[in-house]
């Protein structure tokens, strides 16, 4: 059974950094785009960043552009989200997802999420 496993969440002060990881167990990422989304309490889930596995091209939400970097390690079948200059408004559960396109509406398989809390 395919599973997306996120890790790397935690608590950090504003201005700090975290790196999230997403590993696919049971199926490689090779045919997919992989994205990160987040959902804060009482808010809609929002797209954060996506990467095309084969080409490595990326897409970012305006709210994180210049602060977050999505990347992948083909040998480890892992996608990362490096988050720098974190702000309290980045506090959310972060989810990894796969889809057939990098576009925010194209993701259809989700992990369980990892919590990120940024204190001021």
């Amino acid at each position: 059974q395919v599973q997306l496993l996120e890790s790397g969440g935690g608590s950090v002060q504003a201005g700090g950094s975290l790196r999230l990881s997403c590993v696919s167990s049971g199926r490689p990422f090779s045919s997919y785009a992989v994205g990160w989304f987040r959902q804060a309490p009482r808010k809609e889930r929002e797209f954060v960043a996506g990467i095309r596995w084969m080409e490595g091209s990326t897409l970012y939400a305006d709210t994180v552009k210049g602060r977050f970097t999505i990347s992948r390690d083909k040998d480890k079948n892992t996608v990362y989200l490096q988050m720098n200059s974190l702000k309290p408004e980045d506090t959310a559960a972060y989810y990894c997802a796969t889809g057939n396109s990098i576009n925010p509406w194209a993701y259809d398989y989700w992990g369980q999420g990892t919590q990120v809390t940024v204190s001021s």
Side-chain angles (χ1 to χ4, degrees):
Q1 185 174 354
V2 176
Q3 280 191 307
L4 298 178
L5 305 173
E6 303 100 332
S7 62
S11 296
V12 65
Q13 289 193 325
S17 298
L18 285 172
R19 188 178 78 160
L20 306 183
S21 300
C22 175
V23 177
S24 173
S25 65
R27 181 173 67 187
F29 284 132
S30 58
S31 300
Y32 298 92
V34 183
W36 287 97
F37 289 73
R38 66 187 182 187
Q39 187 166 20
R42 299 175 297 280
K43 291 190 175 182
E44 296 287 323
R45 183 171 61 195
E46 64 173 345
F47 173 80
V48 175
I51 187 167
R52 291 189 180 95
W53 182 260
M54 295 303 291
E55 298 88 354
S57 54
T58 58
L59 180 68
Y60 294 93
D62 288 343
T63 52
V64 306
K65 205 172 291 183
R67 299 188 298 124
F68 291 11
T69 303
I70 189 170
S71 62
R72 84 255 195 260
D73 185 326
K74 290 185 174 181
D75 291 336
K76 295 182 178 179
N77 202 40
T78 301
V79 172
Y80 302 100
L81 184 68
Q82 178 66 44
M83 306 185 295
N84 298 329
S85 302
L86 282 162
K87 304 175 181 179
E89 50 264 44
D90 294 318
T91 295
Y94 282 71
Y95 299 88
C96 173
T98 59
N100 293 321
S101 163
I102 199 173
N103 295 305
W105 55 84
Y107 296 86
D108 55 7
Y109 196 84
W110 303 85
Q112 295 299 306
T114 185
Q115 179 66 35
V116 171
T117 302
V118 184
S119 57
S120 57

